[in-house]
Amino acid sequence: MTGEPSLFSRASAEIIDLHRFFVDWFVAARANTVDFGRFERAMGKDLSMVAPDGQVLDREAVVDHVRSSRASCDDGFAISIEDIRPGWQDADTIVVLYVEAQLRAGNHSRRQSSAVFTTSSSAPNGVEWRHLHETWLQVPER
């Protein structure tokens, strides 16, 4: 044993840390304190994403969207990550499943996500995002 955190632990930390970045980047009152380079370092150069509406995005589109969404939310914007669990993995690659819950402008939404990570010594948490697939979940009525 090397004492290094497991691939699942590093990927889980990356999921949580990246969503904290999103909250700070999107909330107008905190956007000036955030290093956008952190986001870019975490996105693999061949990243692909399937958005909840089914649109397929490449790395450039994802980076451009996040960059242009800076300071677009009020202080009530929040993201929580739930039910993180490992999927398939090998020595350098892992699929991680999780639920992302958002509160934006008083509206709650949830999406089931699956993300593929590979190891990268230059990325935050030692892993980079290679693929992300998000699917809307029905929000229970209250």
Side-chain angles (χ1 to χ4, degrees):
M1 269 202 135
T2 64
E4 181 177 310
S6 71
L7 184 55
F8 176 64
S9 294
R10 288 180 282 153
S12 297
E14 174 56 27
I15 291 166
I16 292 166
D17 290 350
L18 186 73
H19 287 85
R20 285 183 187 141
F21 161 85
F22 287 145
V23 171
D24 291 342
W25 182 254
F26 294 152
V27 171
R30 299 197 300 255
N32 287 336
T33 66
V34 182
D35 172 20
F36 190 74
R38 186 264 181 253
F39 174 73
E40 292 178 302
R41 287 188 306 277
M43 299 296 108
K45 70 177 183 172
D46 296 327
L47 173 78
S48 61
M49 176 183 177
V50 180
D53 65 1
Q55 185 178 10
V56 179
L57 306 169
D58 64 11
R59 182 186 191 278
E60 182 179 356
V62 171
V63 171
D64 287 348
H65 172 73
V66 172
R67 183 182 288 118
S68 67
S69 298
R70 181 182 165 277
S72 60
C73 296
D74 63 27
D75 286 341
F77 178 67
I79 298 176
S80 64
I81 302 299
E82 305 165 355
D83 196 24
I84 298 176
R85 59 195 185 283
W88 175 89
Q89 91 173 71
D90 71 8
D92 297 323
T93 306
I94 188 168
V95 175
V96 180
L97 297 97
Y98 62 94
V99 173
E100 176 184 340
Q102 286 191 16
L103 174 62
R104 183 187 301 243
N107 297 315
H108 293 271
S109 66
R110 297 177 78 227
R111 57 191 87 183
Q112 176 67 59
S113 301
S114 60
V116 177
F117 295 92
T118 56
T119 59
S120 170
S121 61
S122 62
N125 295 305
V127 294
E128 65 183 13
W129 297 75
R130 301 303 302 267
H131 180 76
L132 174 63
H133 189 131
E134 298 182 330
T135 302
W136 289 120
L137 295 174
Q138 182 65 35
V139 178
E141 292 185 38
R142 302 214 180 235

